[in-house]
Amino acid sequence: MVRQARAVRTRRSLVQAAAEVFAAEGYVGASLPAISRRAGVSTGALHFHFASKSDLAGEVERVAADSAEKLAERCRSGADTLLQSLLHTSCGLLLAMVGDPLIRAGFRLSGDPSRKGGAQILHWWRVWVHDLLVQAQDVGELAQDVSADAATTAIVAATAGFDVLGAQDRDWLSVERVTQLWTFVLPRPAASPDPAPTPSEIGAAAEEQAE
């Protein structure tokens, strides 16, 4: 029982360490010795849990996607409308790229052209956004002239773009930049007759997700 608990802790430490290295160095630049050193374990222990760097990266993506899904569920349960939950979730994910190495590594690995068979978190995000927008369309939250497919493309592409730009300049992942995105995007798909949220209201939503 003690050995099993130790193995679980070691595996968790390796995934966290790998996320930090992948987030900083990318898939190609990351090395297994660097990951094992950061986790405080031997390379033999790393290979006991993961046969290759690709296997380890896949596990980081899986855990990151699970973490992102839980964030989306929290945002969905606390939102009054479907479009509000989309706003809160996207803000939360973009800002988590700064503070959460797992989320940051998940997006970076998903968009890495050197990897094959990855893109778990981007695939999940595209499906999640599209399903939510289709539901918003069904209940009348989406403007009649807005396509759920087109809106999904714009939102997912913007998210991926923020990730790429943020890897070079963290200012792209700031509350101010996220607010600018949604101040521009949100009025377009909304069918509500009420006035669109003001930049300060959108900024407040982004600030809430940053806390």
Side-chain angles (χ1 to χ4, degrees):
M1 200 71 176
V2 173
R3 183 177 298 177
Q4 185 178 12
R6 185 183 302 118
V8 170
R9 287 196 301 271
T10 298
R11 186 179 181 88
R12 188 180 299 123
S13 295
L14 283 167
V15 171
Q16 182 65 33
E20 293 169 2
V21 175
F22 285 135
E25 306 295 337
Y27 180 73
V28 173
S31 71
L32 294 181
I35 292 170
S36 61
R37 284 196 301 272
R38 185 178 287 264
V41 304
S42 66
T43 54
L46 186 154
H47 284 293
F48 174 80
H49 289 278
F50 301 99
S52 66
K53 184 166 73 169
S54 179
D55 287 345
L56 181 52
E59 179 66 4
V60 169
E61 278 199 90
R62 186 194 67 76
V63 174
D66 184 61
S67 179
E69 187 170 356
K70 290 177 180 175
L71 184 152
E73 289 172 356
R74 292 194 302 271
C75 292
R76 180 77 174 267
S77 64
D80 295 326
T81 67
L82 292 166
L83 290 182
Q84 187 182 69
S85 71
L86 176 59
L87 166 64
H88 288 184
T89 302
S90 64
C91 287
L93 282 177
L94 289 169
L95 297 171
M97 290 180 193
V98 176
D100 187 342
L102 269 170
I103 297 291
R104 187 161 67 252
F107 273 100
R108 184 159 189 185
L109 288 169
S110 287
D112 194 323
S114 66
R115 293 194 65 234
K116 295 180 180 179
Q120 291 186 45
I121 199 168
L122 281 178
H123 175 73
W124 164 81
W125 180 230
R126 182 184 62 77
V127 171
W128 189 90
V129 171
H130 185 264
D131 287 351
L132 183 139
L133 287 171
V134 168
Q135 292 175 51
Q137 195 168 48
D138 290 343
V139 300
E141 283 190 33
L142 207 63
Q144 291 185 354
D145 62 341
V146 172
S147 159
D149 289 344
T152 299
T153 297
I155 292 166
V156 174
T159 307
F162 268 81
D163 170 48
V164 172
L165 293 165
Q168 303 299 321
D169 181 358
R170 290 292 177 86
D171 181 59
W172 279 98
L173 299 175
S174 66
V175 170
E176 180 182 4
R177 295 283 191 173
V178 174
T179 300
Q180 288 173 346
L181 168 68
W182 281 103
T183 299
F184 179 78
V185 170
L186 191 59
R188 176 71 177 97
S192 171
D194 298 328
T198 65
S200 61
E201 290 171 334
I202 293 174
E207 289 278 9
E208 180 182 345
Q209 299 307 313
E211 293 177 355

